[in-house]
Amino acid sequence: MYKHDLVYLTEDASHDAVIELINEEAFGPGRFARAAARIREQGPHERSLSFICADDGETIASVRMTPVLAGSVKGHLLGPLAVRPSHKNRGIGRELVRIAIEAAKRKGSEAVILVGDPPYYGPLGFEKVAYNALAFPGPVDPGRVLVVPLAADTHERLKGTIAWHDDAVSAVITEEIEDEDLPPVAIAV
């Protein structure tokens, strides 16, 4: 029996091309039309919370996490999650999800959100978000919007739009505005 040496690593730029290939295999060209893809186009994913799985040195799966503001919840959008066909049904995707959620929790994320199949993601800790509570930048089946709440009041605050968000960018914009001797304003980025 062939022994697989699976290793889970934090994603880096050297993985970009193979991750694109894995996502193309898994989702095809239609992946760019999805509502979650509209959010991912708004800004970069967070590499420190995105992971790959390698088998004997070959990258065979990945998961990415994108920082979002969902209603008033500062969280992360999980996905895409993809595993090469040769390695499906071995628990690799589930392990990547577990690793990503734990990393988000350690970073202080208030929630991990995704659009996915409840039967697959439910056992991984995901719960349904209230029907039509979040407005995505495109059509989405509200029954497939799921969350792992990492803060006590997450479900109550998941109401409104969901969009890419980066605290560092928001802080710089706010600081620049304050430097112009204008009255303070709140800006949603």
Side-chain angles (χ1 to χ4, degrees):
M1 180 175 201
Y2 178 73
K3 179 183 180 294
H4 290 276
D5 293 320
L6 298 179
V7 178
Y8 295 87
L9 303 167
T10 305
E11 175 192 319
D12 65 41
S14 72
H15 300 118
D16 286 347
V18 71
I19 289 171
E20 180 58 29
L21 174 67
I22 292 167
N23 287 329
E24 184 178 335
E25 283 178 341
F27 304 111
R31 69 190 181 280
F32 298 114
R34 296 179 176 187
R38 301 281 73 82
I39 294 169
R40 293 184 196 109
E41 290 173 348
Q42 297 169 6
H45 65 283
E46 198 164 335
R47 284 200 200 271
S48 66
L49 300 180
S50 299
F51 299 91
I52 62 102
C53 178
D55 182 3
D56 199 26
E58 177 191 356
T59 301
I60 51 90
S62 78
V63 66
R64 286 184 164 167
M65 297 279 271
T66 302
V68 294
L69 185 62
S72 64
V73 174
K74 290 180 183 176
H76 288 85
L77 181 67
L78 186 142
L81 167 68
V83 179
R84 306 248 8 217
S86 59
H87 288 75
K88 286 189 180 271
N89 301 315
R90 297 184 188 178
I92 294 167
R94 286 179 181 85
E95 182 64 8
L96 282 169
V97 169
R98 186 195 66 74
I99 291 167
I101 291 169
E102 285 304 313
K105 189 184 300 184
R106 283 192 306 275
K107 181 148 187 187
S109 183
E110 295 179 310
V112 175
I113 302 161
L114 63 76
V115 179
D117 296 322
Y120 179 85
Y121 290 101
L124 303 176
F126 285 86
E127 306 166 359
K128 287 188 177 184
V129 171
Y131 195 80
N132 282 335
L134 291 176
F136 281 75
V140 66
D141 177 352
R144 293 172 42 90
V145 179
L146 308 172
V147 63
V148 173
L150 301 174
D153 60 348
T154 298
H155 278 285
E156 293 77 21
R157 295 186 301 122
L158 280 175
K159 291 178 177 50
T161 59
I162 179 169
W164 180 83
H165 177 76
D166 184 353
D167 285 332
V169 171
S170 297
V172 169
I173 291 171
T174 302
E175 184 177 303
E176 287 174 0
I177 290 171
E178 289 173 357
D179 285 346
E180 294 178 9
D181 294 327
L182 298 173
V185 283
I187 296 178
V189 177

